[in-house]
Amino acid sequence: MARFWFGRHGVQSSKIWLSAIVIGLLCGAGASAQDIGDFDPFVKVELSAPNSVGRLKDPTGQAPTDTVYSFAIPSGYCNKTPYDASGDSDCKQNSTRSSIRENVFATKKNGSGQPKQSWYGWAVYFPADFQYGQKQNVGHYDLVYWHNKQCPHLTFLNWAGRDSTLYLGTNRALGNHECSPGPQFRVADFKDLVGKWNRFEVFVEWAGNESGEVKVYLDGTYVVHYKGPTLTEGLENVNYFVFGVYLCCTKDVKLTKGTSALYTAVKRAGNRDGLFVEEDRARLKQLQQALNALGCDVGGPDGRLGARTRDQALSCKDFGKNGLPADLTVATIDRFLAAYVRKGVATLPAGKLKEPAPDIALVSYPAQTAPAVGLVAAELVVHATESQTHRSGREVDVNSSIAGSVEKYKELKSFDFAMLGKFNFSEGTFYQLQFFFEDQVNSRGKVGACSNAIIKFPDGSEHAQINFMKNGNDFVASNAKCLIEALPKRQSKMLRFLMAHFTDIAVGMARDGSIDLLSHDGLKIFMNRVARGEIRVGML
């Protein structure tokens, strides 16, 4: 099991705003305070680097508000303050952070957590020189997340040092502040985020079972829809919001490169329209005035978004097929305003209000489509997805981690393992395949006596490796029987499960649609073939 420590609380260069004058810290006073909606008060995360969190006048000239929150992790810094009596700390975990958290423990409006369901909004600016992906020390960023004092329930993350993707991630708590990643879903590529402001709108239904739900909109586009647990099992009673820059669990924090980000319009509301902040409402009032001037009556301009304003904005003038966004939200208000105040708009023909198109996410899990056909009968109901990857597309090498859960199976509730190998696209299968577990083992123990059963990571840690021989279309594990007897209890149970029910994993991924979320094209082919009974994976 991978060990991830999330802590108890846990086109413009960043140098421009780091030298700007800080006008107030966090919520500040008077005019500098931001509209945070029904969030509990914001406070600086105690373990943040010194002088790394502040409030500035917007240095970009393009933010949706006049003032912004600024965050900066310095090169090579970590906080030595212990988390608790154990003595562990950010320095011992090779982590560094600059963050703000919601102090749910202050007013207890929602106990120690969040409303049962809510909308969350924020705008974030990553400078062109933001150190994401392979530009940064190996670790992982948690940028916006909901924490339970052990690990995030949900997190917007990037695998620093590895890939350039911004993911929506879930987690499983293992106890003692250790976490294992659950399903993760691609939100965007960082190359498309840097150098500009990005507006997020996120709906969450908080639940510890399959009734949980997340909808993620980026700049008005519906990018991710997830149905499943949104609260970590056993840790449901604590859930506070955190945002900023947190680089966790690197190999060596001394190798960390300093980097910065700006946030603003951070707000929680009971509905999507409630995410408008004061400056958004001022722009909405301008839009209402422009619509009235064009004869599209919305009533008195009040900066409030009602059905009348929305309908008139969508239909007052015909801007052509791709002229206006599909909906009027905090992320699209600027585009609507620009369209209705531009020169010559009065000469355009009148528009017509259309039935809204179905709101379909670019990534959906489980897939909201007809069940896959041609699958073999499964013995167990399994839900699994890719938790992280180091290879993608049509590369020969495959290195992907899979995590999941099993319904009504007494032997094992959850599992995680990694698939490592080389893929032959012309044959549609692996010509070399191994599985391995991320929990460490000792090569001097029983595991070391099994044939070629140890894989050593670059950091020197040792892990159990299962080797497969290819026999026609089948893959037979040559050392699994020995490892089942030699491995620690949980790893032994997972290996026994994998050898008996790998097909069930593939069938479950095909039914849920998570095969389509795999990053490596070859692995998609392989798992689909397993799900249809063309390839079998097991042991002698």
Side-chain angles (χ1 to χ4, degrees), residues 245-312:
V245 180
Y246 174 27
L247 181 61
C248 179
C249 319
T250 70
K251 298 296 183 183
D252 185 351
V253 74
K254 294 177 182 177
L255 302 177
T256 296
K257 299 174 183 175
T259 199
S260 307
L262 301 176
Y263 287 78
T264 194
V266 183
K267 189 174 183 181
R268 186 177 70 197
N271 55 60
R272 190 176 183 182
D273 293 343
L275 296 179
F276 280 76
V277 296
E278 182 180 350
E279 291 88 343
D280 294 321
R281 291 190 289 272
R283 288 187 284 273
L284 183 58
K285 185 175 181 179
Q286 289 179 277
L287 175 62
Q288 291 171 327
Q289 291 169 336
L291 289 168
N292 281 341
L294 291 168
C296 300
D297 183 18
V298 298
D302 58 4
R304 298 181 181 278
L305 180 57
R308 191 172 174 183
T309 295
R310 174 176 270 116
D311 289 350
Q312 291 288 22

Side-chain angles (χ1 to χ4, degrees), residues 280-439:
D280 294 321
R281 291 190 289 272
R283 288 187 284 273
L284 183 58
K285 185 175 181 179
Q286 289 179 277
L287 175 62
Q288 291 171 327
Q289 291 169 336
L291 289 168
N292 281 341
L294 291 168
C296 300
D297 183 18
V298 298
D302 58 4
R304 298 181 181 278
L305 180 57
R308 191 172 174 183
T309 295
R310 174 176 270 116
D311 289 350
Q312 291 288 22
L314 290 168
S315 64
C316 179
K317 291 294 181 180
D318 186 351
F319 291 91
K321 184 177 180 181
N322 299 312
L324 287 175
D327 196 8
L328 176 56
T329 72
V330 293
T332 61
I333 178 63
D334 285 339
R335 282 180 274 174
F336 274 92
L337 180 58
Y340 278 106
V341 299
R342 77 187 193 191
K343 186 177 180 180
V345 65
T347 64
L348 293 176
K352 182 179 180 181
L353 188 63
K354 302 175 183 177
E355 287 294 323
D359 205 8
I360 300 174
L362 300 180
V363 173
S364 184
Y365 175 85
Q368 304 299 305
T369 58
V373 296
L375 306 180
V376 299
E379 182 179 346
L380 299 173
V381 177
V382 180
H383 304 285
T385 192
E386 184 176 69
S387 58
Q388 62 173 302
T389 183
H390 300 282
R391 295 289 185 268
S392 61
R394 295 184 67 83
E395 296 182 56
V396 170
D397 293 318
V398 175
N399 187 346
S400 291
S401 296
I402 307 295
S405 60
V406 193
E407 292 186 13
K408 300 178 181 178
Y409 184 57
K410 293 182 180 179
E411 296 298 316
L412 195 72
K413 288 185 177 180
S414 64
F415 61 89
D416 59 281
F417 68 103
M419 298 180 67
L420 189 70
K422 295 184 181 294
F423 197 82
N424 186 325
F425 280 93
S426 64
E427 296 184 3
T429 190
F430 285 93
Y431 62 89
Q432 179 180 316
L433 178 63
Q434 295 90 31
F435 292 171
F436 69 86
F437 296 127
E438 296 210 38
D439 279 350

Side-chain angles (χ1 to χ4, degrees), residues 443 453-465:
S443 63
I454 300 293
I455 181 173
K456 185 171 286 190
F457 284 9
D459 63 2
S461 61
E462 297 176 325
H463 306 262
Q465 175 177 280

Side-chain angles (χ1 to χ4, degrees), residues 23-294:
I23 65 170
L25 184 63
L26 308 186
C27 290
S32 66
Q34 289 200 6
D35 178 4
I36 64 173
D38 61 8
F39 269 126
D40 277 286
F42 288 163
V43 295
K44 184 179 73 173
V45 171
E46 295 86 339
L47 300 175
S48 296
N51 304 313
S52 68
V53 179
R55 288 285 301 280
L56 314 171
K57 291 182 179 179
D58 170 32
T60 71
Q62 300 172 337
T65 61
D66 297 329
T67 63
V68 298
Y69 299 100
S70 68
F71 302 91
I73 54 171
S75 177
Y77 171 82
C78 62
N79 193 312
K80 297 180 180 179
T81 304
Y83 298 141
D84 51 29
S86 70
D88 220 339
S89 66
D90 271 5
C91 282
K92 290 187 177 181
Q93 291 299 321
N94 285 297
S95 302
T96 186
R97 67 183 91 197
S98 172
S99 305
I100 287 173
R101 66 178 173 88
E102 177 195 11
N103 189 3
V104 298
F105 313 105
T107 66
K108 292 188 176 294
K109 285 187 295 187
N110 299 286
S112 296
Q114 304 294 309
K116 176 63 177 175
Q117 63 179 37
S118 199
W119 280 88
Y120 302 84
W122 64 88
V124 59
Y125 184 98
F126 300 107
D129 59 359
F130 185 76
Q131 303 297 301
Y132 64 86
Q134 294 185 358
K135 299 178 182 181
Q136 183 58 279
N137 189 12
V138 175
H140 68 268
Y141 281 115
D142 288 301
L143 299 165
V144 174
Y145 54 102
W146 292 261
H147 209 278
N148 55 41
K149 290 192 176 182
Q150 291 196 31
C151 59
H153 295 288
L154 298 172
T155 176
F156 286 81
L157 67 96
N158 169 247
W159 292 100
R162 303 168 195 175
D163 70 41
S164 63
T165 303
L166 176 68
Y167 294 97
L168 168 69
T170 63
N171 285 286
R172 298 179 176 88
L174 305 178
N176 195 30
H177 304 292
E178 294 185 19
C179 302
S180 175
Q184 295 173 23
F185 311 103
R186 183 186 185 280
V187 175
D189 193 305
F190 256 93
K191 68 178 175 57
D192 299 322
L193 298 176
V194 296
K196 66 183 184 70
W197 282 97
N198 307 276
R199 200 82 183 253
F200 285 82
E201 301 161 273
V202 178
F203 169 81
V204 185
E205 174 84 24
W206 295 106
N209 54 32
E210 299 303 316
S211 67
E213 183 176 20
V214 183
K215 296 180 180 181
V216 180
Y217 294 82
L218 172 56
D219 294 330
T221 298
Y222 192 12
V223 289
V224 173
H225 180 216
Y226 162 69
K227 286 282 290 181
T230 51
L231 293 171
T232 305
E233 185 180 4
L235 300 170
E236 298 90 345
N237 292 333
V238 176
N239 186 9
Y240 56 92
F241 182 80
V242 189
F243 64 102
V245 180
Y246 174 27
L247 181 61
C248 179
C249 319
T250 70
K251 298 296 183 183
D252 185 351
V253 74
K254 294 177 182 177
L255 302 177
T256 296
K257 299 174 183 175
T259 199
S260 307
L262 301 176
Y263 287 78
T264 194
V266 183
K267 189 174 183 181
R268 186 177 70 197
N271 55 60
R272 190 176 183 182
D273 293 343
L275 296 179
F276 280 76
V277 296
E278 182 180 350
E279 291 88 343
D280 294 321
R281 291 190 289 272
R283 288 187 284 273
L284 183 58
K285 185 175 181 179
Q286 289 179 277
L287 175 62
Q288 291 171 327
Q289 291 169 336
L291 289 168
N292 281 341
L294 291 168

